[in-house]
Amino acid sequence: MKIKNIKKLSIIFTLLFTFSCSDFNDINVNDITPTSIPLGNLIPNIVIQPTLEHTIFAVDVTNKLIQYTTRFEDAEGDKYNTAALEPMWNDTYAALRNLNFLLEGKEGNENYEGIALVIKSWLFYNLTNLYGDVPYSEAGNASSGQNLPKYDSQESIYEGLIADLERANTLIGNGTVALTGDIIYDGDLLKWKKFANSLKIRVLMSRSSKVDPSVKLQEMIDNPAQFPIFEAFGDQPAYKYLTDQYVVSKHEGWVGVTAITTPFINLLKDTNDERIKTIAAPVPNTTNTFEGAEPAGTDAFDVNAISVQSALIWDSHEFPIVQTVWMMHSELLFLLAEAAEKGYITGGTTVAENYYKDGIKSSYNYQKWMGDQAVAAALVGMEPMANFNDSYFSDPQVTYTGSRDEKLEKIGKQMWISSLNHIEIYFYQRRTGYPVITPGPTTVNNNKIPVRFNYPNNEKIFNTTAYNNAVSAMGGDDINTKMWIIK
């Protein structure tokens, strides 16, 4: 897919490390050796670029597909005009060559190996959910002569993800070599274990329509000491951008014309949701008036009459507020609410309601924490959020009542509110149908939200046989071709 704003957004982020791959052979070249670079030095190289690309893709594409934001001037994603998406592909395989050094399994390096398995699982979860079948088992093995890796089925990739996360849970905390270079958790091994298990719950729920997750989910819930999971938003794996990585606020041609959509802003307004203050900026020359713009609308919107994305996203470059979070604590709780409501774990609707309410509170408190820091540092001219009030649960659109489908839709709406700037909400909506999306009037693709992205063009050229086999197995390389987990 062409993402026109990558060049624009790259001005905003000053990258510490970059990877560039012109073809799959280049991706698989191991040009550094573990004897020349300490293992801890590899972690930033592995993490930064894919994390940045994750945010760019969310802001530029999935925010529009899921109707958080809309842009009149450049609305490819907004109008469902999508094609190949190469940066996420290239960055995943570039990271893999360094991950392989951490995955060698040398005695004493168990912590590095475990963390590498978690990072690898996060990367390939995103990749297979964007494309479907992808190179997995043979990827990154150029040194063994596998320059043209086969594409693995999504079903087998999911099995691999679960196995790797289970192994990571046993490895982390058992290494003797000191862990360095950890720019996500600063060496906190318990938090890495919590992420491994929380991510495993995401993976299990993502394929739940194909494979019953009940046994593995219940085992984890019944054994929190063996399978620790997120307990607060402070457990979230978050990359915090440094001051010199944010060089421009309110970037020309981007922030000022990126509006919050009417459906999203109306949900927040209708429920008196204080999170609106960290999501949207008030209409210019007002203090507490918020108005949205029609997604994929037919006319240019008046920037003086609508709410653009909150300045918290862009104006906090002098303070490490802006983050890319790999998985939210609130997401985990909403997944567990869904699992309880569907009977995958014990407790039924009563337990589901508890997880649902705790998920809302976690999302609310995280956004308040970010907003409070910005206000305290005088970085963003915004009204602080009030403390959470349980009266929010009494709103008819929020209260956990109704049929099972109505309760699942309410969980989905809260996932929507809590997941701005996260590509996971695109995968979640595709799987569950929530939030319900009504395409705008100028969308292409017959008013259907794309369910995947085309393979990079270089794959057709350099890995032709494997590419053709994958396309044949999946039923086409089309943005409407359903992958295994949603067939």
Side-chain angles (χ1 to χ4, degrees), residues 91-111:
D91 289 337
T92 295
Y93 290 109
L96 182 59
R97 63 183 180 186
N98 284 338
L99 277 169
N100 283 342
F101 292 138
L102 305 183
L103 292 168
E104 289 183 341
K106 291 184 178 179
E107 186 176 353
N109 290 343
E110 287 84 357
N111 291 328

Side-chain angles (χ1 to χ4, degrees), residues 275-415:
R275 286 173 288 184
I276 198 171
K277 294 177 180 177
T278 60
I279 289 172
V283 171
N285 302 316
T286 72
T287 57
N288 204 28
T289 300
F290 299 92
E291 297 294 338
E294 183 181 30
T298 56
D299 299 312
F301 49 75
D302 181 358
V303 294
N304 294 312
I306 53 89
S307 295
V308 297
Q309 201 169 37
S310 169
L312 176 63
I313 306 299
W314 304 103
D315 282 0
S316 56
H317 56 282
E318 296 300 326
F319 196 76
I321 295 171
V322 177
Q323 302 178 334
T324 292
V325 181
W326 291 1
M327 182 177 179
M328 307 284 285
H329 174 234
S330 56
E331 178 201 336
L332 171 67
L333 294 169
F334 293 138
L335 290 174
L336 291 174
E338 177 190 352
E341 191 62 47
K342 290 182 174 179
Y344 296 147
I345 56 176
T346 58
T349 197
T350 300
V351 168
E353 182 177 9
N354 291 335
Y355 281 129
Y356 169 75
K357 288 181 175 179
D358 287 345
I360 292 172
K361 289 181 180 179
S362 177
S363 168
Y364 189 99
N365 290 333
Y366 174 62
Q367 290 185 217
K368 186 178 188 304
W369 172 78
M370 291 186 68
D372 286 351
Q373 288 189 92
V375 171
L379 298 174
V380 175
M382 57 184 286
E383 260 189 62
M385 289 170 57
N387 290 328
F388 185 78
N389 191 315
D390 282 351
S391 64
Y392 180 75
F393 295 136
S394 300
D395 188 281
Q397 292 195 66
V398 179
T399 186
Y400 201 72
T401 57
S403 66
R404 191 186 83 157
D405 286 345
E406 288 170 333
K407 291 174 182 176
L408 292 174
E409 182 173 8
K410 288 175 179 178
I411 294 171
K413 284 182 178 179
Q414 291 299 325
M415 269 285 290

Side-chain angles (χ1 to χ4, degrees), residues 125 129 158 201-210 335 424 427 431 485:
Y125 169 85
N129 273 280
Y158 262 74
I201 290 174
R202 175 197 276 182
V203 174
L204 290 169
M205 290 300 294
S206 293
R207 71 167 192 178
S208 59
S209 66
K210 308 294 286 187
L335 290 174
E424 178 58 26
F427 305 145
R431 175 176 69 85
I485 54 170

Side-chain angles (χ1 to χ4, degrees), residues 111-137:
N111 291 328
Y112 283 107
E113 184 182 355
I115 288 170
L117 287 170
V118 178
I119 297 172
K120 178 185 176 184
S121 297
W122 177 72
L123 288 169
F124 275 97
Y125 169 85
N126 290 328
L127 199 71
T128 189
N129 273 280
L130 289 170
Y131 296 99
D133 298 354
V134 297
Y136 180 68
S137 60

